[in-house]
Amino acid sequence: MSELNVTEAQFLQSYDPSRYERPIGVPADIVLFTISSESIAGSTKSLPKRELKVLLIKRKGHPDRGKWALPGGFSSPQETLYEAAKRELKEETGLDRIHFELLGLYDTPGRDKRGWVISAAFVALVNERYLAKRTAQDDAEEVGLFSIEEALSLELAFDHRDIIRDALKHTERQMLSTTIARELLDPEFTIAELLQVIQTVVPEYAMTKSNFIRKLLMTKSHPIIEPVEGQFSTAYSQRPAQLYRFVEGYEPVLSLYGDISPQQA
């Protein structure tokens, strides 16, 4: 009988999913970036040393046992891939309450030795304080933070090197086009701290402090930061430095054809 001549219920009752090849699983992989902050020995008025790092786990089971990998695992039919990512991260590292953004799907044939596996990769850039309580659990033998250079030099499991590279490019774009830097700063910060955070994620952003101030404060029709009246800091400078904060409720909308105001977006 033609499918055109049956009802929806009849079609579903007779439907045979085994007619089609299916992946053996759909995992969620998580790229967690953070910026470590370390005081410079012998200097009380210098900005701390900051470095972009990624969280990896050492696999306890096969395949690729003993290799470093991104945290993650197979989803179940009862959950979304986003829910699977949150569950797997907690089960492997003990970390919770982190907001992810979908990076993309990875489906290169042969990416997993077990068979046809399509992975959804998620990415987040979080303050290092959220990672303080990380502990290896479940399928993870160890949990560690690695600089990007260190991570990419390792023999990583699956295609996780490609995923990290893609996540890095995505995060660099986010850093230059959104206010994601606020995740890595205190609510009130100096211009020098903001510039350092941006350049830690995007080293190619070659901007002097004076040019950065002019570009950020004097050429924007809708400033993304504002001075905190009467608040200064001497933590990283001999002279008091003005403290700033991000303007609440405003996220820039960028266009190839010029600025778009919030009312026009």
Side-chain angles (χ1 to χ4, degrees):
M1 182 184 297
S2 169
E3 291 182 358
L4 297 176
N5 299 323
V6 300
T7 65
E8 182 85 358
Q10 289 173 322
F11 167 76
L12 293 175
Q13 187 176 17
S14 62
Y15 179 73
D16 180 12
S18 65
R19 292 167 55 194
Y20 305 96
E21 286 191 66
R22 291 172 292 170
I24 64 172
V26 184
D29 293 312
I30 306 104
V31 186
L32 268 188
F33 290 126
T34 191
I35 289 183
S36 64
S37 180
E38 181 182 347
S39 298
I40 299 177
S43 177
T44 59
K45 293 296 182 180
S46 296
L47 288 167
K49 177 185 176 183
R50 286 189 165 103
E51 187 173 25
L52 183 65
K53 294 189 175 181
V54 62
L55 183 140
L56 299 175
I57 60 126
K58 180 175 283 189
R59 289 181 56 79
K60 188 184 293 184
H62 296 293
D64 290 333
R65 181 178 179 178
K67 289 185 179 180
W68 289 96
L70 296 169
F74 287 107
S75 59
S76 74
Q78 290 76 39
E79 63 186 351
T80 66
L81 285 164
Y82 186 86
E83 291 168 342
K86 293 180 73 69
R87 173 182 55 77
E88 285 290 341
L89 183 66
K90 184 173 178 61
E91 290 178 356
E92 292 189 341
T93 69
L95 298 173
D96 198 7
R97 299 184 180 182
I98 291 176
H99 174 73
F100 309 121
E101 185 175 325
L102 179 64
L103 174 65
L105 296 177
Y106 289 79
D107 58 358
T108 302
R111 63 177 301 274
D112 192 306
K113 300 170 185 175
R114 290 167 289 193
W116 184 14
V117 176
I118 298 173
S119 178
F122 294 85
V123 60
L125 178 63
V126 300
N127 195 293
E128 61 181 330
R129 66 173 176 269
Y130 290 116
L131 307 184
K133 295 183 179 180
R134 62 186 184 276
T135 55
Q137 301 182 35
D138 247 21
D139 295 334
E141 186 176 315
E142 295 180 45
V143 177
L145 282 177
F146 296 83
S147 71
I148 304 303
E149 183 179 356
E150 290 174 326
L152 295 178
S153 70
L154 296 170
E155 187 181 356
L156 299 175
F158 311 113
D159 55 355
H160 289 185
R161 179 177 287 101
D162 294 334
I163 296 177
I164 291 173
R165 284 177 173 149
D166 290 346
L168 180 59
K169 292 177 184 177
H170 172 86
T171 303
E172 289 175 345
R173 289 193 297 268
Q174 291 288 89
M175 182 60 67
L176 295 179
S177 61
T178 74
T179 60
I180 194 174
R182 71 170 70 208
E183 302 296 331
L184 306 166
L185 293 163
D186 291 333
E188 298 178 359
F189 51 86
T190 65
I191 291 287
E193 290 176 285
L194 174 57
L195 178 58
Q196 187 191 37
V197 163
I198 293 172
Q199 291 179 330
T200 299
V201 176
V202 192
E204 295 79 13
Y205 186 71
M207 182 77 70
T208 65
K209 182 180 174 183
S210 58
N211 286 339
F212 183 65
I213 292 173
R214 185 172 63 253
K215 187 174 181 64
L216 194 62
L217 300 178
M218 302 176 189
T219 63
K220 293 286 186 181
S221 57
H222 298 280
I224 60 173
I225 66 171
E226 60 186 3
V228 182
E229 188 175 352
Q231 296 298 311
F232 298 84
S233 172
T234 57
Y236 304 121
S237 60
Q238 298 294 338
R239 291 187 291 181
Q242 173 70 54
L243 287 173
Y244 290 83
R245 63 189 167 207
F246 281 96
V247 176
E248 288 300 323
Y250 174 64
E251 189 71 30
V253 180
L254 304 181
S255 167
L256 291 174
Y257 308 103
D259 292 338
I260 302 176
S261 71
Q263 291 76 25
Q264 296 170 315

